[in-house]
């Protein structure tokens, strides 16, 4: 019951077709790679991207999306085969979800098109900033704090490009301390 509708009237019909734009689909109006990039085959992949086209106020995902767009557009990020497989799996899941929703006349829809943790972790892995999936994160011992608590945007600033461990580390520790004090 958000009341929000996705309107992309400013895009050409060709682009809307490439992203499978469906303005009547309030859950997933566009099909994008990791909810951010145009499909690999698109001629506009390195010219157009979306940030915030994810249902919910999840600023960690939006920050990771912005970092991904910057890495692709400005730094020529190329994905590893493992990352491409993760992206392809998410694309197939998105297409499958949309088809299931159409087949059930919209009655059986999940709350979110992608779950927050999977999306954030996939974006982080593609960017090389996931503390559990990078050699640097494992060597520096960041994995223990990440695995022991809730997912925080600060986790994705511990290692890799754009890392700010002097800021992110204390934030992660503070949350762990609060949870420990509460007996959680």
């Amino acid at each position: 019951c958000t009341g929000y509708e996705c309107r992309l009237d400013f895009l050409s019909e060709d682009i809307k077709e490439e992203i499978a734009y469906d303005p009547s689909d309030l859950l997933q109006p566009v099909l994008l790679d990791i909810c951010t990039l145009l499909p690999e085959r698109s001629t506009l992949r390195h010219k157009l991207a979306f940030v915030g086209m994810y249902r919910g106020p999840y600023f960690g995902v939006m920050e990771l999306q912005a970092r991904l767009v910057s890495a692709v557009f400005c730094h020529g990020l190329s994905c590893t085969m493992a990352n491409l497989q993760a992206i392809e799996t998410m694309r197939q899941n998105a297409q499958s979800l949309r088809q299931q929703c159409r087949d059930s006349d919209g009655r059986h829809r999940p709350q979110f098109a992608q779950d927050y943790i999977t999306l954030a972790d996939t974006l982080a892995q593609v960017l090389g900033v996931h503390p559990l999936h990078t050699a640097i994160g494992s060597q520096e011992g960041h994995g223990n704090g990440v695995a022991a608590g809730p997912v925080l945007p600060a986790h994705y600033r511990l290692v890799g490009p754009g890392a700010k461990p002097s800021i992110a580390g204390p934030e992660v520790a503070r949350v762990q301390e609060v949870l420990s004090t509460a007996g959680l």
Side-chain angles (χ1 to χ4, degrees):
C1 68
T2 65
Y4 295 110
E5 291 180 11
C6 176
R7 295 194 50 180
L8 301 177
D9 300 340
F10 57 92
L11 294 176
S12 72
E13 292 304 316
D14 291 344
I15 293 173
K16 288 191 261 187
E17 188 176 313
E18 279 192 52
I19 60 175
Y21 174 59
D22 181 353
S24 67
D25 190 334
L26 299 180
L27 178 68
Q28 191 171 0
V30 294
L31 294 180
L32 304 165
D33 286 354
I34 22 184
C35 296
T36 310
L37 302 172
L38 272 66
E40 187 67 44
R41 69 186 181 282
S42 174
T43 59
L44 296 172
R45 184 170 177 92
H46 298 283
K47 296 177 183 174
L48 177 67
F50 294 81
V51 173
M53 294 292 289
Y54 175 72
R55 189 175 182 145
Y58 296 105
F59 298 109
V61 164
M62 288 183 250
E63 178 188 349
L64 288 165
Q65 287 177 315
R67 290 169 70 186
L68 176 64
V69 171
S70 173
V72 170
F73 286 18
C74 301
H75 306 291
L77 174 75
S78 60
C79 299
T80 65
M81 187 54 74
N83 292 339
L84 289 174
Q85 290 171 344
I87 292 170
E88 180 60 28
T89 298
M90 289 188 82
R91 180 185 308 128
Q92 290 172 356
N93 289 346
Q95 290 169 337
S96 174
L97 174 65
R98 180 175 274 182
Q99 190 57 50
Q100 288 172 9
C101 291
R102 283 187 178 142
D103 291 347
S104 69
D105 202 22
R107 292 183 309 264
H108 305 289
R109 296 191 79 127
Q111 182 176 0
F112 301 103
Q114 306 282 343
D115 79 84
Y116 173 68
I117 295 170
T118 300
L119 180 56
D121 282 354
T122 301
L123 286 161
Q125 288 172 34
V126 169
L127 288 164
V129 299
H130 194 295
L132 292 177
H133 297 280
T134 62
I136 296 169
S138 299
Q139 291 169 1
E140 294 180 5
H142 292 303
N144 293 338
V146 174
V151 174
L152 304 171
H155 288 146
Y156 307 116
R157 287 292 184 169
L158 292 169
V159 298
K164 303 274 188 220
S166 63
I167 297 170
E171 181 63 21
V172 172
R174 187 183 68 77
V175 170
Q176 289 173 334
E177 183 179 326
V178 168
L179 292 173
S180 178
T181 302
L184 301 173

